[in-house]
Amino acid sequence: MLSEEMLQIGEENLQTHIQMEKEEEERKSLINPLQVWISSASAPACYHLIPLLANGEVFGITTEISIHLLDRYNCKEVLCGTVMEAQDLAYPLLRSVSMHVELDEAFLQADVIILLDDILLERDTTSFENCIRQVNELCKVYGPLIEKNAKSGVRIVVAGKTFVNLKALMIMTHAPSINPGNIIALAMLLESAAKAMLARKLNMNSAGIKDVIVWGNITGSSYIDLSNAKVYRYDSAIWGPPSFSRPLLDMIYDSKWLHSEFVTALSSLNSREYHCVGMSPAHVIATILRYWYQDSPPREIVSVGVLSEGQFCIPEGIVFSMPVSFQNGTWEVITETEINEKTQEIMDCLAYDLIQFLISPFSVVLYASPIPFLPFLQSLCFSFFPPKLLPFSSSFFGFLSFLIIYIFPPVNFSFPRPPSHLDFYTQTQEEEVESISRLRSAVPHLQ
């Protein structure tokens, strides 16, 4: 074959290849990938989360995604390495991976935002007041950027090990145009840890334990409710079809372990996470997003921190972890969940505690500090309203406190430490009742 003919054939092949590339680019331009933004992307959880998002199981096998990694400038090298490894995976549904260190371009056209920011992990902060201020500063930056750059229907998952309820509420506050139902706080990590401990006790797979409920402030005062929990596929003398289940509390005969070691281990979950490589947080984030986009299993309870609308007598306007199910791209609180009297009393205490936790930070964050006679005003409000009107009395006190703080100049104020996990899930049933009695005597409106 003559060299001129070879050159001509080579030129034709090149032009054909270029044409095919253009056609492929045009085809891809017609398919808008899902824009997924991850903040604090240098965190270990992000490294494990990217493959889970890109393999097609979360958003569907026909949905292409573009992942955007957002973090500080001094994390640029880590982001570069993560981007290169993600590109090496060569997932067909992963359209692109990019890193961002400039806030001006944050959350641009975002369909999904995953907030991994943790204040206490970022800085050596010992003051609770400073932590709250930093949370507020972060959300005051993120909120307007989300409103400005993200899509109106953006879905936001607030994860992390600190202040997740507060961060979710403040994102709602600073991004008022975003539907509050599209902002959720992740409680599934605590739920999964509880299931894993129970499964080890029963010598079974944790996938067979369902309907464990997390109530309250996810990274503060929370309550693990096992009254509705069920056990499936347990290897014992009694066996049934896959749908056959038995109450979990009937399967655990060691009540002493349940009220001591189980509670202690869960309450130390935060300290354990300092050494966590990120697999568990990544898995639960991917699972919640998969449920949000492809529905949760029928009749299965999932714990999520959502904005209360008065369900279970929880005051309106606070982010509270409660049982939900995901269906048709949205979530719905499972209001028919059976609540016994003891659980309802604990939830009342948790709600009151969370209101106290939220009111003080908001006073400091928005108006520098609360005035001295707000505690008196609070007692007056809660004494005036009967117990059944707890949600209204809490909202009324919040309104009055903000109004008075706005009118009167602030003074200095120091915060107590936030309560730890499972403060209301005490060692024995007798101590549990005694703890509730002490709380009820200390809080007039709960009597």
Side-chain angles (χ1 to χ4, degrees):
M1 182 179 295
L2 298 177
S3 59
E4 292 183 1
E5 293 179 353
M6 293 177 64
L7 291 173
Q8 183 178 359
I9 292 173
E11 181 66 23
E12 290 177 355
N13 289 343
L14 178 61
Q15 294 300 322
T16 301
H17 176 74
I18 293 174
Q19 182 64 29
M20 291 176 64
E21 288 289 327
K22 288 182 178 179
E23 291 177 357
E24 180 67 14
E25 288 180 4
E26 291 178 1
R27 184 188 69 81
K28 286 185 176 181
S29 66
L30 298 175
I31 304 174
N32 295 322
L34 206 67
Q35 305 294 329
V36 180
W37 282 78
I38 306 175
S39 71
S40 217
S42 62
C46 178
Y47 185 82
H48 295 277
L49 180 60
I50 291 175
L52 300 178
L53 298 178
N55 64 14
E57 294 183 2
V58 173
F59 303 108
I61 59 174
T62 61
T63 303
E64 292 188 354
I65 66 171
S66 291
I67 296 178
H68 305 267
L69 308 180
L70 175 67
D71 214 321
R72 301 182 302 275
Y73 184 82
N74 58 1
C75 299
K76 191 173 182 179
E77 287 189 17
V78 177
L79 296 183
C80 284
T82 304
V83 168
M84 287 190 291
E85 287 201 47
Q87 292 171 341
D88 292 343
L89 294 175
Y91 279 114
L93 296 176
L94 184 57
R95 173 76 67 86
S96 64
V97 183
S98 59
M99 68 174 188
H100 305 267
V101 294
E102 299 293 337
L103 280 175
D104 291 341
E105 57 189 24
F107 313 126
L108 193 62
Q109 295 298 307
D111 295 290
V112 177
I113 297 175
I114 303 168
L115 300 179
L116 299 179
D117 304 84
D118 264 324
I119 298 301
L120 291 181
L121 290 178
E122 290 184 355
R123 304 181 180 94
D124 295 329
T125 305
T126 56
S127 169
F128 178 53
E129 180 180 350
N130 288 338
C131 293
I132 297 297
R133 291 183 186 277
Q134 290 170 26
V135 171
N136 177 64
E137 291 169 4
L138 181 72
C139 295
K140 284 177 72 174
V141 172
Y142 280 176
L145 285 171
I146 291 172
E147 281 206 310
K148 176 184 175 183
N149 295 338
K151 294 180 181 176
S152 59
V154 63
R155 301 180 184 185
I156 303 173
V157 176
V158 181
K161 59 169 294 181
T162 55
F163 305 111
V164 291
N165 293 58
L166 179 61
K167 284 185 287 187
L169 183 60
M170 296 186 73
I171 290 293
M172 296 175 190
T173 302
H174 294 295
S177 67
I178 304 300
N179 179 9
N182 283 1
I183 304 173
I184 63 175
L186 194 69
M188 202 174 188
L189 185 60
L190 185 57
E191 177 186 329
S192 297
K195 290 179 179 178
M197 284 197 64
L198 294 166
R200 287 193 292 269
K201 184 66 175 177
L202 293 172
N203 194 25
M204 60 175 294
N205 193 309
S206 60
I209 297 178
K210 307 289 185 184
D211 299 347
V212 173
I213 302 175
V214 178
W215 298 99
N217 186 4
I218 299 163
T219 50
S221 294
S222 55
Y223 175 65
I224 306 296
D225 183 7
L226 304 180
S227 60
N228 293 281
K230 302 179 183 65
V231 176
Y232 294 82
R233 301 183 297 277
Y234 181 63
D235 189 9
S236 66
I238 302 175
W239 191 257
S243 59
F244 173 72
S245 66
R246 283 180 284 177
L248 182 139
L249 293 178
D250 291 348
M251 307 300 298
I252 297 182
Y253 304 105
D254 189 356
S255 60
K256 184 177 180 180
W257 173 88
L258 193 62
H259 293 90
S260 57
E261 184 180 339
F262 174 69
V263 177
T264 303
L266 287 179
S267 64
S268 62
L269 180 64
N270 281 353
S271 60
R272 188 193 70 172
E273 276 189 5
Y274 277 112
H275 310 286
C276 179
V277 295
M279 286 189 292
S280 296
H283 171 72
V284 296
I285 292 170
T287 301
I288 283 294
L289 285 173
R290 174 163 54 86
Y291 289 170
W292 210 345
Y293 277 86
Q294 302 186 60
D295 299 346
S296 57
R299 299 180 300 278
E300 184 171 326
I301 293 175
V302 182
S303 298
V304 174
V306 297
L307 189 67
S308 170
E309 297 180 352
Q311 305 95 332
F312 307 108
C313 298
I314 298 169
E316 297 182 19
I318 62 174
V319 174
F320 198 92
S321 179
M322 59 184 77
V324 306
S325 63
F326 290 87
Q327 203 73 27
N328 300 323
T330 187
W331 54 265
E332 183 179 1
V333 177
I334 308 177
T335 54
E336 60 269 20
T337 303
E338 294 183 5
I339 304 296
N340 57 40
E341 183 178 353
K342 182 194 73 173
T343 301
Q344 186 63 61
E345 289 183 339
I346 294 175
M347 287 168 57
D348 290 341
C349 295
L350 290 172
Y352 174 80
D353 181 83
L354 186 55
I355 291 170
Q356 301 308 298
F357 178 72
L358 293 176
I359 287 176
S360 296
F362 268 109
S363 301
V364 157
V365 166
L366 298 179
Y367 305 106
S369 62
I371 60 176
F373 57 84
L374 280 184
F376 170 77
L377 174 64
Q378 179 184 18
S379 301
L380 184 64
C381 288
F382 287 139
S383 301
F384 179 79
F385 292 101
K388 294 184 178 179
L389 294 181
L390 168 63
F392 180 78
S393 62
S394 302
S395 302
F396 184 70
F397 168 65
F399 168 77
L400 285 183
S401 63
F402 288 139
L403 182 63
I404 293 175
I405 292 169
Y406 182 78
I407 296 173
F408 292 91
V411 295
N412 292 330
F413 183 83
S414 58
F415 285 98
R417 278 286 175 182
S420 60
H421 276 291
L422 309 173
D423 284 343
F424 304 99
Y425 200 80
T426 49
Q427 291 188 350
T428 65
Q429 186 174 2
E430 291 77 13
E431 290 177 348
E432 198 166 34
V433 173
E434 182 181 352
S435 175
I436 294 172
S437 300
R438 288 198 305 268
L439 285 166
R440 288 169 64 89
S441 61
V443 183
H445 77 279
L446 292 179
Q447 293 183 0

